[in-house]
Amino acid sequence: MISIIVRILAGTAIAAAVISTGLSEAATNSNQYMTAIKIPGDSGESLARLSSDAYAAGEKKIARDMALKALDKSLAHVEALRTVGITDFEAGKEENGLRLVKISGQMSWRDSAGQAWLLQRALLGKDYATAIKHTDALLRRRKVQEEIFSIFNLAGQEPKLSEPLKAQFANMPNWRENFFATRKNTPAEQYDGFEGLIRALEDSPAPATRREMTPYINLLVSQGLENRALSLWAEFFPEDGIAVTSGKTAQLDWPTGERIDKPLPFDWRFSDGRSVFASVEEDGNGDAMTLDLELDRNAVGDLAWRNLRIAPGTAHLTVDVDGSALRDMHDMRWSLTCLGREGSKQYFRSDGPAQNGWTIPVQGACSTYRLALETPLGGIAGAKRLRIGLVTLRVD
């Protein structure tokens, strides 16, 4: 199997693209540098900037001459120092050239071309910790983010790269939010790498949060990979109880706070129809929340639903309902639908005289389900109010 590092090294064209982007920042698509070099007494700052312009245009001798003139005026011109360093390196003076570009990089992390060149050299030199620091400098300036994020996804499968990345993510850089937000566009071939990076972050001071994971999980679901999405969420957030294993009882809590209107991928979701009004009450004592559903006579269809992984066996659903609402609750229907399979909906059957327990067989051919509370077929005869407390699911 080809090492992930080898794949990254083979893709140092990414760094080359960053260098080109950084160099072209100063480029004017004209021959200003030809005019500038003839103007006596031109400022060192202008000469330094135009030396970068000339290098980007392939005029390396002119670029070097202008850079040296800029440095004659002041050694503080970062672009000039970087240009001299790179041209030295390309002329065979590799040790001196690398030293000069490193100095320019230490002088300013804002010089994207220099940071990208150093990134490329660090990758080729297998100095992965340094390479990650240069990616941070580029990302802080929002330079070719997606290309660098692709490197991060690949790095997730290579411990030598994921270790320094952990420290960088733990610093909560300003690009971290955008990294996770743009995972909704992750190419399929990078799924394994991204998940590897998330696993690496688990033992860091700043593991991925539920909100950070949401765009990627939603991507998997949109691609029909519900089982993979559920498995991943259950792995990182087992306390959410989305995986119901044989012989154990899962407590399916109602969401609170912003998660009511902005649910996470595997939270309960509620109908937003005009005929249904849903709210969640907390008693303030840490006990189970209560879902308050107010339905008018036009309410129809799903009222509340969520996705789960359920082991094969007999599923037992238990719902705490206020005594006065128990009869209305019994008129409702609970269903399980196998995700990804048309026509696979099953309905729970009442279990016992208390009428707040239901059972259903769960087939081994499916592992990911949509659990839903529905109105009866044809809707309801009149307005109802359902107050539903703790919901649990057990598989025997």
Side-chain angles (χ1 to χ4, degrees):
M1 180 179 178
I2 299 176
S3 165
I4 298 301
I5 288 180
V6 171
R7 287 171 58 192
I8 291 175
L9 292 178
T12 50
I14 291 176
V18 184
I19 296 171
S20 176
T21 300
L23 286 170
S24 63
E25 284 184 330
T28 58
N29 295 319
S30 70
N31 288 337
Q32 285 191 28
Y33 53 85
M34 293 297 292
T35 302
I37 200 169
K38 298 174 183 177
I39 299 175
D42 195 3
S43 73
E45 182 179 347
S46 296
L47 285 167
R49 184 174 63 253
L50 292 168
S51 72
S52 186
D53 187 344
Y55 187 92
E59 298 286 354
K60 297 184 179 182
K61 183 180 184 307
I62 292 175
R64 181 179 177 80
D65 290 343
M66 296 176 73
L68 289 171
K69 286 187 176 184
L71 293 175
D72 280 342
K73 296 177 180 292
S74 172
L75 294 176
H77 294 307
V78 172
E79 291 169 303
L81 191 60
R82 177 247 297 160
T83 300
V84 172
I86 293 178
T87 54
D88 265 4
F89 189 93
E90 292 174 343
K93 302 175 184 177
E94 294 187 359
E95 184 176 346
N96 187 62
L98 180 59
R99 180 179 63 84
L100 292 176
V101 183
K102 282 183 176 179
I103 293 173
S104 74
Q106 292 166 0
M107 290 170 62
S108 175
W109 59 267
R110 294 179 180 277
D111 180 29
S112 299
Q115 294 294 333
W117 191 89
L118 290 168
L119 164 62
Q120 187 182 50
R121 299 317 309 171
L123 285 173
L124 292 169
K126 300 183 180 180
D127 185 356
Y128 305 118
T130 298
I132 296 304
K133 290 180 181 178
H134 293 306
T135 63
D136 177 68
L138 290 162
L139 289 172
R140 280 190 284 169
R141 297 204 67 208
R142 300 187 180 277
K143 298 301 176 186
V144 287
Q145 287 190 124
E146 199 51 48
E147 289 85 350
I148 294 176
F149 289 164
S150 294
I151 290 179
F152 288 177
N153 284 343
L154 287 171
Q157 299 178 73
E158 179 52 66
K160 291 180 181 178
L161 279 163
S162 60
E163 281 301 312
L165 258 183
K166 285 165 57 175
Q168 208 65 51
F169 271 83
N171 289 332
M172 303 303 290
N174 64 357
W175 47 260
R176 174 173 168 144
E177 180 180 355
N178 200 36
F179 171 75
F180 283 106
T182 55
R183 292 314 86 205
K184 64 184 178 182
N185 301 319
T186 304
E189 63 270 17
Q190 293 181 17
Y191 289 175
D192 290 342
F194 174 73
E195 292 172 19
L197 175 58
I198 298 309
R199 290 187 175 94
L201 292 178
E202 273 297 278
D203 64 352
S204 78
T209 67
R210 289 172 174 80
R211 285 292 175 197
E212 288 176 330
M213 287 291 292
T214 293
Y216 178 71
I217 295 297
N218 287 340
L219 168 66
L220 294 181
V221 172
S222 73
Q223 297 301 310
L225 301 173
E226 292 92 348
N227 191 39
R228 181 169 185 162
L230 279 157
S231 297
L232 199 62
W233 197 272
E235 175 185 346
F236 293 121
F237 312 112
E239 62 275 17
D240 286 2
I242 66 167
V244 186
T245 56
S246 181
K248 294 187 178 180
T249 299
Q251 181 172 309
L252 310 181
D253 293 325
W254 303 113
T256 58
E258 69 170 7
R259 288 172 65 171
I260 298 174
D261 297 320
K262 297 179 180 179
L264 295 172
F266 303 112
D267 282 342
W268 284 102
R269 295 167 186 261
F270 307 116
S271 171
D272 58 2
R274 293 184 178 182
S275 300
V276 181
F277 179 77
S279 60
V280 177
E281 299 175 3
E282 298 181 71
D283 66 0
N285 298 318
D287 294 332
M289 288 74 75
T290 298
L291 172 64
D292 192 343
L293 282 176
E294 296 184 46
L295 317 175
D296 71 25
R297 61 186 180 83
N298 296 314
V300 64
D302 291 349
L303 304 175
W305 62 92
R306 65 179 297 172
N307 293 344
L308 297 163
R309 292 195 71 199
I310 304 177
T314 299
H316 300 267
L317 182 70
T318 304
V319 183
D320 288 344
V321 184
D322 287 351
S324 60
L326 191 57
R327 187 180 191 87
D328 286 338
M329 186 68 217
H330 190 60
D331 289 339
M332 300 296 113
R333 302 191 299 178
W334 289 94
S335 67
L336 271 187
T337 303
C338 179
L339 297 178
R341 288 174 55 186
E342 294 292 333
S344 61
K345 180 181 284 190
Q346 298 173 276
Y347 289 97
F348 283 85
R349 295 181 178 275
S350 180
D351 181 23
Q355 297 184 340
N356 67 339
W358 296 265
T359 60
I360 196 170
V362 179
Q363 305 299 323
C366 185
S367 60
T368 58
Y369 292 89
R370 171 187 166 106
L371 170 67
L373 170 65
E374 309 174 13
T375 61
L377 188 65
I380 58 179
K384 295 181 184 292
R385 184 177 184 184
L386 304 175
R387 291 179 54 80
I388 308 170
L390 180 65
V391 178
T392 61
L393 190 63
R394 187 183 79 254
V395 178
D396 294 332

